[in-house]
Amino acid sequence: MPESTSSPAPHVAVVLLAGGQGARAGFDRPKQLEMLGAKSVLRWSLDLFAAHPAVTAGVVVANPDVMATIGMLPEGWISASPGAERQQSVANALTALTDWDDDARLLVHDAARPGVTADVVDRLLAALDGADAAIPTLPVPDTLVAQTQAQVGDVVDRSLLARVQTPQAFRLGTLRRAHAEAGDAAATDDAQLVRRMGLPVAAVSGDARLHKLTYAEDLAILSALLGVGTAMRTAVGMGYDVHRLVVGKPLWIGGIEIAHSHGLEGHSDADVALHAITDAVLGALADGDIGDHFPPTDPQWRGAASHRFLSFAGDRVTARGGRISHIDVTIVAEAPRIGPHRPAIRARIADILAIPPECVSVKATTTERLGFTGRREGIAAQAIATLLLPEI
Ligand code: MG
């Protein structure tokens, strides 16, 4: 929580805006959670700010699902809910900082710019000594022209123009007044609100590394700018599971229920195929096994639907910046016949892992009436998961 007014005001706080959903850019998750090397886009700037000696606290403005993914916040940091628009998100952060003094300094940053440097932060803070607000800008290197549809018009004097980046620095009191006076009038950044009050905004040199992640191809540009490798390694894991067939239980295999005289016995729904695949994915991650993450001694997993275990394993892959290339599972059963259910099982596994069905193979075999599977005492499953993970 913020310091109370009885304590000295923290010197510099950060508002880190991570409320976007990234839908426009065509990412399949919020773009601030895309991985750059071993950490998320959001974590890059969060770690830089947290390590900066002048910064003592911050507010991450993000939805609960984003907050759950990024892990522990640094000491002194809190979270706030995003608004429908950027301006409302900043306002929510200002509300979270109610106890702070007006003379505190604030850095407002878009998490979609992971390449913050300590030098930019230092330049901004130095500029605040003589100004109420300061922003990083870059010159415009290209020739600029006016254009109407496909018709090129006059050249625009680019010496009069600059590209605006974040973080943007403010006296906290100035930004509070700017937001209060703006009311419902929208602006694309906070510096414009300050200028509307007639206050000057200082410009400092920006940094090419503050490139904004807008489209998927920006990830490659940012990887180069930040010196992060994009090389991936292949990791393969295997899983094996057996459950006993008993009378009076439903039969769940591969995430679907199959009508049969017997069902599988176990602590959860005993879905032998999903258990084998879960262990295969965890094996490729070298991340223990299903029993480590979902102990059979824990009553909360009694009767649990096993798709939860598999989607958990899939999320662990995503959190590492990896993806699942392929799943191959073999179900070993004398009865029932699995063949007719293979398309449904395949589609269900693909759905749980959010991968294309073309990346899922489902096979079935009997053991020619030999052994426990042959005697219909139980069903076994073997799986192999192939992952792509960031190079260590
Ligand atoms: Mg099992």
Side-chain angles (χ1 to χ4, degrees), residues 240-243 265-268 270-276 279 290 306:
Y240 176 73
D241 196 31
V242 172
H243 281 270
E265 184 178 55
H267 188 67
S268 65
D271 190 322
V272 67
L274 294 194
H275 292 186
D279 261 354
I290 193 169
S306 296

Side-chain angles (χ1 to χ4, degrees), residues 2 30 92 107 118 184 263 304 353 386:
N92 291 355
L107 295 163
D184 291 335
L353 290 172
T386 307

Side-chain angles (χ1 to χ4, degrees), residues 195-214:
R195 286 202 68 239
R196 281 183 199 167
M197 293 196 302
L199 294 174
V201 175
V204 306
S205 291
D207 193 309
R209 283 168 289 188
L210 283 167
H211 184 80
K212 188 176 184 179
L213 173 58
T214 305

Side-chain angles (χ1 to χ4, degrees), residues 72-84:
M72 288 274 290
L73 288 179
E75 193 185 343
W77 285 66
I78 57 174
S79 65
S81 297

Side-chain angles (χ1 to χ4, degrees), residues 4-382:
S4 71
T5 45
S6 58
S7 307
H11 209 46
V12 177
V14 173
V15 172
L16 189 50
L17 299 169
Q21 292 302 312
R24 179 178 60 143
F27 298 106
D28 51 12
R29 54 184 157 182
K31 64 183 176 182
Q32 60 273 27
L33 296 182
E34 289 292 330
M35 299 298 288
L36 274 171
K39 56 187 179 183
S40 67
V41 166
L42 170 56
R43 198 82 216 183
W44 272 85
S45 50
L46 179 60
D47 287 352
L48 183 287
F49 286 125
H52 193 285
V55 174
T56 51
V59 183
V60 178
V61 186
N63 286 308
D65 58 326
V66 170
M67 296 307 304
T69 306
I70 62 168
M72 288 274 290
L73 288 179
E75 193 185 343
W77 285 66
I78 57 174
S79 65
S81 297
E85 303 293 336
R86 182 186 194 280
Q87 196 165 324
Q88 186 58 47
S89 291
V90 176
N92 291 355
L94 292 177
T95 301
L97 297 171
T98 299
D99 291 344
W100 285 41
D101 291 342
D102 274 351
D103 60 0
R105 294 176 292 175
L106 197 64
L107 295 163
V108 180
H109 184 62
D110 290 331
R113 299 181 189 268
V116 190
T117 66
D119 286 348
V120 167
V121 171
D122 291 343
R123 286 198 288 273
L124 288 164
L125 295 178
L128 269 194
D129 286 343
D132 285 285
I135 65 173
T137 64
L138 284 180
V140 179
D142 300 311
T143 294
L144 294 178
V145 295
Q147 183 175 317
T148 307
Q149 296 182 354
Q151 289 294 309
V152 172
D154 293 338
V155 169
V156 179
D157 183 357
R158 67 179 185 233
S159 69
L160 300 175
L161 300 174
R163 296 157 57 201
V164 174
Q165 301 180 313
T166 73
Q168 302 189 345
F170 304 92
R171 294 276 167 198
L172 180 52
T174 303
L175 194 58
R176 281 179 173 148
R177 270 203 299 135
H179 273 260
E181 291 186 13
D184 291 335
T188 54
D189 70 10
D190 298 283
Q192 293 174 49
L193 295 180
V194 171
R195 286 202 68 239
R196 281 183 199 167
M197 293 196 302
L199 294 174
V201 175
V204 306
S205 291
D207 193 309
R209 283 168 289 188
L210 283 167
H211 184 80
K212 188 176 184 179
L213 173 58
T214 305
Y215 303 105
E217 52 265 38
D218 289 320
L219 281 172
I221 296 170
L222 282 163
S223 295
L225 287 170
L226 304 182
V228 178
T230 53
M232 304 288 269
R233 67 190 172 93
T234 301
V236 175
M238 66 158 295
Y240 176 73
D241 196 31
V242 172
H243 281 270
R244 182 186 298 273
L245 279 166
V246 294
V247 174
K249 286 254 185 183
L251 177 62
W252 284 89
I253 295 185
I256 66 167
E257 188 175 358
I258 297 175
H260 188 50
S261 59
H262 291 61
L264 290 172
E265 184 178 55
H267 188 67
S268 65
D269 66 7
D271 190 322
V272 67
L274 294 194
H275 292 186
I277 299 168
T278 301
D279 261 354
V281 173
L282 292 173
L285 290 171
D287 190 12
D289 65 23
I290 193 169
D292 293 334
H293 298 284
F294 304 97
T297 52
D298 188 337
Q300 69 170 307
W301 309 122
R302 191 190 313 279
S306 296
H307 65 81
R308 294 172 61 187
F309 308 151
L310 184 55
S311 63
F312 168 87
D315 288 345
R316 307 276 284 188
V317 177
T318 306
R320 293 262 202 102
R323 59 190 173 86
I324 297 170
S325 304
H326 194 77
I327 297 290
D328 184 22
V329 61
T330 300
I331 298 156
V332 186
E334 202 68 31
R337 287 191 60 227
I338 302 298
H341 305 288
R342 279 169 59 179
I345 292 174
R346 191 178 180 214
R348 181 68 182 126
I349 292 167
D351 186 47
I352 295 167
L353 290 172
I355 59 176
E358 292 78 6
C359 301
V360 178
S361 158
V362 175
K363 312 196 299 300
T365 186
T366 70
T367 49
E368 302 286 338
R369 300 184 190 174
L370 297 168
F372 70 87
T373 51
R375 293 189 298 270
R376 306 184 182 207
E377 294 167 4
I379 293 178
Q382 297 182 349

